[in-house]
Amino acid sequence: MMLRQRLRPQTSRAGGGAPAPDPGAASPSGPLAAAPSRLLTWLGRLGAPAAAFAVFQALLGILPESLAGEVARYCVAATAGAGVGAVVWLAAALVHARGGAGSRPRVPAVAPSRVGPLPELMDGAYAALRRGLSVIEVPGRGPLTGWPHSLAESDPPVHPTAFGTAYGLHLLLDIAPLDGRIRVGEVAETLWRLRLPGGGWAARSQGSGARPEVSAIVLGALARAGADPRLLQSEVRSCEALLDPEHDAPGLANTYVVTNVLRGLLRAAPGSAALEGLREVLVNGATADPVRGNHRCWGAALATGRGNPAPSAVHTARAVVALDRAAQVLGEDERQRAVREEGLRWLLAGGAADLENCQEDVRRPGREDPLHQELLSVRHFASAWVARALMTDGARRTAADGAGPTAWEAQLTAAVERVSGMQQGGVWRWDDGPMGHPVWMAYQGLSVLRRHALMVHRP
């Protein structure tokens, strides 16, 4: 069941300004500016051979016969004719190129946001990581340096978790601090020490058995940190083994689980044989929404023969992000591209307007006792996921291709401003409880603002 949590409406912290000039807009044209254009058009309409012959004949008729004989007259006329023909050919090529450029859809530009200085946010996030860092000694595992679920959870120091530490490592790598007060190597080594006895990783609420969605996130973080590929490969095989439908059918029917595994393995093992199958599960799990042009989208559950799940902005955005990354690594066929682009069109048709954070429960039968259920509570930073989907490489092309640059820019601006409005000093807040400052939320929020800053940068 999906539970929605209402958040306070955000307020703008900076005054609006005039819209940024469009770099693709034409400059004002007056009589002087229009004259060269008219001349090029007139020249381009002439055939080069015809123009050359006309000049040749005209000069041959007016050059004096005393010009060093008949041969000299013919040479001068032929040279002039060839020169004019070349000019006309170049004019025609220029007119054709201008016409072709005007007929192509122009990729929309991104308007700057009103987010504060990014370096200050990154400094604030790094300070929060340092405050929330847990450094403890665990018998049988050695020293652990990492994070629990929340940045506000480590006083006194508590046991780091695989999930919190993996996202803390992702955030640390994004910030790339200039000092070594948090050592990437120690954090990465902690993830290896948090590995379960049978291999793999799980959330602390999932018991002693590995789960693919957590294992893939950890493997992606370790790959970014430069872990030994041989060690990674062994754990990748363990993660792939968890994807057997007989082993985890509920997980493979869940959009959150499949998108997590797909994104993690694309980072850790771009040559994994499991990637194509995971993408097909996600593509086949889309469902058409008759309310928004029958565009395909995603809900919390993947579509099966049992019915169509309710469309969801955050799950559609998660699927679009995962499919876009898969397309970059694996390529894509026409069907896969069509489904991915329909997800974007669904967002641009109004689905992206739902920026409310939400929560879902992923239920699985217990390993020891199938009569009891394992429960994983998942919270979704909706505006961050929508912004990430709208900033994928394919989103701007889809907008320029007919979905609407204006709708794309409006939806992206709203999502980015919502992301910015939920942070203070580089720390993102879900609520005011001890679990209210999730590490993963800080990573997602800062990565959105960083990506957006790169998109709007104009040197």
Side-chain angles (χ1 to χ4, degrees):
M1 182 176 67
M2 186 72 68
L3 303 176
R4 297 202 172 274
Q5 177 179 0
R6 295 285 175 182
L7 299 172
R8 294 193 303 272
Q10 77 171 62
T11 57
S12 172
R13 291 175 295 174
D22 185 349
S27 58
S29 60
L32 293 177
S37 178
R38 289 196 296 270
L39 177 61
L40 287 175
T41 302
W42 179 77
L43 287 173
R45 288 172 180 169
L46 291 176
F53 182 74
V55 172
F56 170 76
Q57 283 288 88
L59 288 177
L60 192 63
I62 64 176
L63 286 173
E65 294 185 5
S66 60
L67 188 64
E70 194 73 12
V71 174
R73 293 174 62 237
Y74 272 91
C75 288
V76 171
T79 301
V84 170
V87 170
V88 171
W89 180 83
L90 290 172
L94 181 58
V95 169
H96 177 74
R98 282 184 174 181
S103 64
R104 289 192 298 268
R106 185 163 54 89
V107 175
V110 190
S113 71
R114 292 172 291 192
V115 177
L118 188 60
E120 292 183 9
L121 297 183
M122 296 173 76
D123 289 345
Y126 184 53
L129 280 177
R130 289 188 59 234
R131 289 193 304 269
L133 188 67
S134 288
V135 181
I136 62 174
E137 184 83 23
V138 177
R141 286 191 170 176
L144 300 180
T145 301
W147 294 269
H149 184 82
S150 173
L151 291 169
E153 200 183 348
S154 58
D155 189 20
V158 297
H159 198 295
T161 66
F163 200 75
T165 302
Y167 274 109
L169 181 55
H170 274 304
L171 181 54
L172 188 62
L173 293 170
D174 271 6
I175 294 173
L178 300 177
D179 61 68
R181 287 176 289 177
I182 304 177
R183 296 189 178 277
V184 170
E186 292 178 358
V187 176
E189 182 60 30
T190 293
L191 284 173
W192 287 116
R193 291 173 179 169
L194 291 173
R195 184 175 43 173
L196 296 169
W201 292 264
R204 62 185 173 187
S205 66
Q206 291 180 312
S208 59
R211 288 303 187 188
E213 67 273 17
V214 181
S215 296
I217 291 296
V218 172
L219 289 170
L222 287 170
R224 283 191 67 193
D228 187 335
R230 293 169 297 179
L231 296 176
L232 281 178
Q233 187 58 41
S234 173
E235 290 301 324
V236 165
R237 286 195 294 267
S238 297
C239 184
E240 291 171 341
L242 298 173
L243 301 174
D244 185 347
E246 294 184 2
H247 178 79
D248 189 15
L252 289 173
N254 182 274
T255 303
Y256 165 80
V257 171
V258 173
T259 53
N260 258 18
V261 178
L262 185 55
R263 290 183 298 109
L265 288 184
L266 284 167
R267 272 186 170 138
S272 170
L275 290 173
E276 282 290 0
L278 282 169
R279 176 163 62 176
E280 278 304 296
V281 168
L282 193 56
V283 168
N284 293 336
T287 182
D289 182 8
V291 176
R292 293 191 173 96
N294 275 320
H295 293 313
R296 280 172 283 191
C297 57
W298 286 264
L302 294 171
T304 64
R306 301 173 184 173
N308 293 330
S312 160
V314 69
H315 293 91
T316 298
R318 291 184 69 103
V320 165
V321 170
L323 291 175
D324 188 83
R325 291 187 186 177
Q328 294 180 40
V329 175
L330 308 173
E332 63 183 356
D333 59 28
E334 290 292 334
R335 173 174 167 269
Q336 292 160 350
R337 180 169 62 253
V339 173
R340 176 177 56 80
E341 290 180 350
E342 281 193 44
L344 284 164
R345 293 177 188 278
W346 183 87
L347 289 170
L348 292 170
D354 183 6
L355 300 177
E356 294 290 338
N357 288 343
C358 57
Q359 183 170 326
E360 69 172 297
D361 294 328
V362 179
R363 299 177 182 272
R364 292 178 170 103
R367 289 184 178 86
E368 292 79 15
D369 184 0
L371 295 178
H372 290 80
Q373 287 190 330
E374 169 195 291
L375 180 65
L376 177 65
S377 183
V378 179
R379 294 187 285 182
H380 299 287
F381 191 179
S383 53
W385 281 107
V386 168
R388 290 169 80 174
L390 295 179
M391 289 190 290
T392 56
D393 290 342
R396 294 172 70 184
R397 291 193 295 270
T398 299
D401 210 23
T406 302
W408 171 77
E409 184 174 348
Q411 300 278 21
L412 177 57
T413 299
V416 170
E417 290 187 352
R418 180 62 176 265
V419 170
S420 176
M422 294 186 67
Q423 63 82 31
Q424 186 172 6
V427 179
W428 272 259
R429 184 179 67 210
W430 182 276
D431 56 39
D432 293 324
M435 305 289 285
H437 298 79
V439 182
W440 56 264
M441 195 175 188
Y443 164 68
Q444 291 178 5
L446 191 62
S447 65
V448 163
L449 299 186
R450 180 174 175 270
R451 167 72 170 167
H452 189 258
L454 291 173
M455 288 183 68
V456 302
H457 175 66
R458 298 290 182 270

